[in-house]
């Protein structure tokens, strides 16, 4: 069993409209945009990152907003719900806030003894807030949500699967342990993680496979401390029979990817070097940052990328 993985690092999804996406996460959720860059493989498409003040692993939601992308079809083989942690007693605040802001899909729930507020992102993305009195992580204090109510980071993600057995074994190999069940959902967690420690496996044996599009999660990333730990994980996964990519430099972390038995794309990402490697921490997410291989495209991209809201919306 591996001990290098410390919880979630980030979740990356697809969107249709960059400005709408930016407004939702910075204004409605009160998160900080910590990076404005572009897709490595499609540089005419943004890669936007929303998180706490510094982009701490376990708090980072990222998006590829493709302007002409079709809507995703939800099903098995994907991340179903991305869940954020909020302080105990704050769901009433968030429910009113979301209602006032016109956020769709609002419903109160309770599972695993936790109070939840489900809601939808602008492309039908599945989200929820969970009250967690034990979460001591520091929120982004300069957004438009008071610190006492603000999002602390990720609580969990749920995986929608036809058959959870092989993926459950993989997660246990990655250091997760089964801690509870609720209906058809099985919960696994890390004992000592970064606060974003929970993976729920939701079984939907009769459902069709998901189709990637706007509102879909592209991949979920798990955090390791550094490149040495990442290489240890890569070797262990390959020794177990997984096809794992070489290490890829993503500027703010190093990444490896592999497909799980249930169809979900997993990434292992390093905590280093972080989002302040090319911007002062006080000004994260303000300037357009480009990978070195795309620097020559800057004049074109600055003219043709959709304009986001002004800087005050992301600080």
């Amino acid at each position: 069993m591996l001990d290098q993985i410390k919880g979630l690092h980030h979740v990356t999804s697809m969107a249709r409209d960059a400005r709408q996406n930016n407004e939702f996460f910075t204004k409605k959720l009160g998160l900080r945009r910590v990076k404005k860059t572009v897709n490595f493989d499609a540089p005419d498409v943004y890669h936007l990152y929303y998180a706490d003040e510094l982009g701490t692993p376990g708090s980072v939601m990222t998006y590829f907003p493709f302007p002409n992308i079709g809507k995703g079809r939800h099903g098995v083989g994907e991340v179903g719900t991305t869940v954020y942690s909020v302080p105990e007693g704050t769901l009433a605040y968030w429910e009113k806030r979301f209602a006032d802001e016109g956020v769709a899909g609002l419903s109160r729930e309770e599972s695993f003894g936790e109070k939840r507020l489900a809601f939808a992102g602008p492309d039908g993305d599945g989200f929820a807030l969970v009250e967690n009195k034990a979460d001591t992580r520091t929120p982004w204090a300069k957004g438009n949500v008071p610190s006492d109510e603000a999002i602390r980071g990720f609580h969990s993600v749920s995986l929608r699967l036809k058959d959870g057995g092989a993926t459950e074994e993989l997660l246990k190999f990655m250091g997760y342990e089964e801690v509870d069940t609720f209906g058809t959902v099985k919960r696994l967690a890390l004992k000592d993680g970064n606060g974003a420690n929970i993976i729920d496996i939701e079984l939907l044996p009769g459902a069709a496979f998901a189709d990637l599009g706007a509102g879909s999660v592209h991949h979920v990333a798990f955090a390791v401390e550094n490149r040495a730990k990442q290489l240890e994980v890569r070797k262990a996964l390959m020794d177990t029979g997984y096809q794992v990519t070489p290490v890829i430099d993503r500027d703010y972390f190093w990444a490896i990817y592999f497909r799980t038995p249930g169809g979900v794309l997993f990434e292992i990402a390093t905590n280093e070097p972080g989002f302040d490697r090319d911007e002062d921490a006080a000004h994260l997410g303000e300037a357009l940052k480009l990978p070195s291989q795309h620097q020559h495209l800057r004049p074109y991209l600055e003219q043709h990328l959709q304009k986001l809201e002004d800087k005050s919306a992301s600080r």
Side-chain angles (χ1 to χ4, degrees):
M1 187 175 74
L2 302 177
D3 62 3
Q4 296 92 339
I5 292 169
K6 301 304 179 185
L8 297 176
H9 187 285
H10 64 270
V11 176
T12 294
S13 293
M14 316 290 282
R16 185 175 59 251
D17 185 89
R19 182 176 297 171
Q20 180 187 51
N21 184 261
N22 180 76
E23 191 273 341
F24 184 83
F25 284 90
T26 60
K27 290 188 175 179
K28 290 181 171 59
L29 294 189
L31 299 175
R32 186 183 195 190
R33 192 180 70 226
V34 294
K35 196 61 58 181
K36 179 172 67 170
T37 183
V38 297
N39 186 309
F40 274 75
D41 302 315
D44 57 342
V45 173
Y46 277 120
H47 194 178
L48 303 175
Y49 293 74
Y50 310 101
D52 64 7
E53 181 174 4
L54 298 177
T56 307
S59 75
V60 186
M61 189 78 207
T62 98
Y63 272 88
F64 300 132
F66 284 85
N68 298 312
I69 194 172
K71 188 173 179 61
R73 185 186 72 191
H74 294 307
V76 294
E78 69 170 352
V79 172
T81 308
T82 302
V83 184
Y84 284 109
S85 173
V86 294
E88 187 177 29
T90 62
L91 287 189
Y93 166 86
W94 282 102
E95 188 170 28
K96 182 180 186 306
R97 178 184 180 86
F98 285 164
D100 290 346
E101 293 279 0
V103 174
L106 296 183
S107 67
R108 287 283 197 119
E109 306 169 349
E110 187 163 337
S111 62
F112 296 101
E114 298 167 331
K115 295 178 180 178
R116 295 164 57 108
L117 176 64
F119 63 99
D123 292 295
D125 325 41
F127 287 104
L129 302 178
V130 166
E131 292 186 353
N132 182 3
K133 66 180 179 181
D135 194 338
T136 60
R137 289 176 291 176
T138 303
W140 169 230
K142 297 181 181 178
N144 58 0
V145 176
S147 294
D148 287 346
E149 286 82 23
I151 288 170
R152 268 44 185 170
F154 292 131
H155 170 273
S156 59
V157 295
S158 69
L159 309 181
R160 290 185 180 139
L161 306 174
K162 276 189 177 295
D163 182 346
T167 300
E168 181 182 340
E169 289 305 309
L170 167 63
L171 288 166
K172 288 179 177 177
F173 180 70
M174 291 168 60
Y176 285 79
E177 299 179 1
E178 182 181 343
V179 294
D180 204 355
T181 58
F182 184 82
T184 61
V185 180
K186 184 174 290 187
R187 172 159 289 184
L188 294 94
L190 289 173
K191 277 188 175 179
D192 299 304
N194 59 12
N197 304 330
I198 295 171
I199 306 292
D200 288 336
I201 295 178
E202 181 181 358
L203 295 183
L204 297 168
F209 280 95
D211 280 340
L212 189 67
S216 300
V217 172
H218 184 271
H219 64 268
V220 57
F222 296 83
V224 291
E225 184 179 350
N226 54 43
R227 297 182 72 185
K229 299 292 187 184
Q230 183 184 62
L231 290 175
E232 292 171 5
V233 172
R234 183 175 187 270
K235 181 180 186 302
L237 289 167
M238 293 181 71
D239 288 348
T240 309
Y242 286 95
Q243 300 297 311
V244 187
T245 67
V247 177
I248 302 171
D249 183 358
R250 295 302 193 195
D251 283 351
Y252 311 107
F253 47 87
W254 283 271
I256 57 175
Y257 303 86
F258 65 104
R259 187 73 62 176
T260 66
V264 182
L265 183 61
F266 277 8
E267 174 184 344
I268 309 296
T270 61
N271 291 351
E272 59 179 8
F275 293 99
D276 59 353
R277 68 172 294 270
D278 59 358
E279 280 182 300
D280 184 88
H283 298 284
L284 292 180
E286 295 180 14
L288 177 64
K289 296 297 179 181
L290 299 178
S292 57
Q293 65 267 40
H294 297 319
Q295 286 290 352
H296 67 287
L297 298 174
R298 179 174 291 278
Y300 172 83
L301 294 175
E302 288 183 342
Q303 286 296 316
H304 288 84
L305 285 170
Q306 183 182 18
K307 302 303 180 187
L308 305 178
E309 290 193 346
D310 63 16
K311 295 176 181 178
S312 65
S314 61
R315 290 187 302 196

